[in-house]
Amino acid sequence: MSDRIRTLISEEEVNRRIDEVAAQINKDYAGRSLHLVCILKGSVFFTTELSKRLTIPVTMDFMSCSSYGSGTVSKGIVKLNKDLDEPIEGRDVLIIEDIIDSGNTLAYLMKLLSARKPASLSLCTLLDKPSRRVHHEVEVSYTCFTIDDLFVLGCGMDYDQRYRNLPYVGVLERDE
Ligand code: IMP
Ligand code: MG
């Protein structure tokens, strides 16, 4: 069995789109500073690419959570593995995600973080799979790409912890 990876979004396209989204964020937060919350591990790559393009003052913090299901049916139970190091009260916070699927993770995180009274709390994602959404209350302010219901990897996203380092977004095609 071998893995073949088909390019869905090239490195050039990814970079061009991150340029555009960063420019929009610089405009929207002009005159303010922004606290980026990177959700480990998948969004590390997107967070670094995006933050390099931000010209407004930026700070960042990291948190980690995992989503559990039972069998093939996701129950949407989210467990917090690592909390933020710093308080977010009164700060303009932007959560950075690699991909939003059911929205379970984000629904949990938005609730958790909004209770800490940030000045504002918004969401930025590299990819969105809206067809899979269960939590329709999750509002995304910045989306780089909207994709169909495909399992993707690269740009931080993994299959069994592999392929996160691919500089493009790919789709796994398996030869059994
Ligand atoms: P959600 O809680 O269902 O929205 O899932 C969010 C998390 O599931 C993401 O942060 C990813 O870690 C993972 N995930 C969802 N879809 C994919 C995919 O197509 N490839 C890799 N990871 C994915
Ligand atoms: Mg993730």
Side-chain angles (χ1 to χ4, degrees):
M1 191 175 67
S2 65
D3 293 345
R4 270 185 302 124
I5 296 165
R6 173 170 63 82
T7 303
L8 185 69
I9 309 167
S10 71
E11 182 176 4
E12 292 71 27
E13 284 175 274
V14 169
N15 286 332
R16 215 178 311 127
R17 183 65 186 131
I18 298 178
D19 286 345
E20 290 174 1
V21 169
Q24 187 62 50
I25 293 172
N26 284 326
K27 214 165 131 191
D28 293 350
Y29 289 89
R32 291 190 278 168
S33 53
L34 187 58
H35 192 57
L36 304 178
V37 168
C38 169
I39 311 301
L40 299 169
K41 309 170 185 163
S43 33
V44 165
F45 295 76
F46 179 40
T47 302
T48 55
E49 287 305 323
L50 182 76
S51 62
K52 280 190 271 182
R53 293 161 169 87
L54 296 178
T55 50
I56 49 169
V58 157
T59 50
M60 56 181 91
D61 204 346
F62 299 83
M63 69 194 300
S64 166
C65 52
S66 16
S67 184
Y68 289 99
S70 110
T72 52
V73 186
S74 170
K75 283 190 177 159
I77 299 162
V78 182
K79 180 176 162 261
L80 186 65
N81 301 322
K82 185 217 171 287
D83 203 343
L84 295 173
D85 291 335
E86 292 168 43
I88 56 167
E89 187 172 348
R91 303 172 96 159
D92 287 310
V93 175
L94 185 65
I95 301 178
I96 317 285
E97 255 294 23
D98 49 355
I99 185 163
I100 305 174
D101 193 23
S102 68
N104 279 332
T105 311
L106 263 306
Y108 168 85
L109 285 177
M110 295 296 274
K111 203 171 152 201
L112 183 82
L113 296 185
S114 59
R116 299 181 187 178
K117 308 211 175 349
S120 67
L121 182 62
S122 300
L123 180 56
C124 175
T125 190
L126 180 64
L127 298 174
D128 191 5
K129 280 197 247 186
S131 60
R132 303 250 310 164
R133 193 76 90 253
V134 175
H135 289 272
H136 296 280
E137 75 276 18
V138 172
E139 266 183 56
V140 191
S141 299
Y142 306 97
T143 302
C144 291
F145 300 96
T146 300
I147 59 164
D148 293 335
D149 183 9
L150 294 166
F151 190 82
V152 291
L153 35 83
C155 293
M157 290 164 293
D158 71 305
Y159 173 70
D160 251 351
Q161 298 302 325
R162 292 180 63 201
Y163 305 115
R164 290 191 196 274
N165 58 321
L166 294 181
Y168 56 90
V169 177
V171 178
L172 192 65
E173 293 178 340
R174 299 214 105 164
D175 298 324
E176 300 290 334

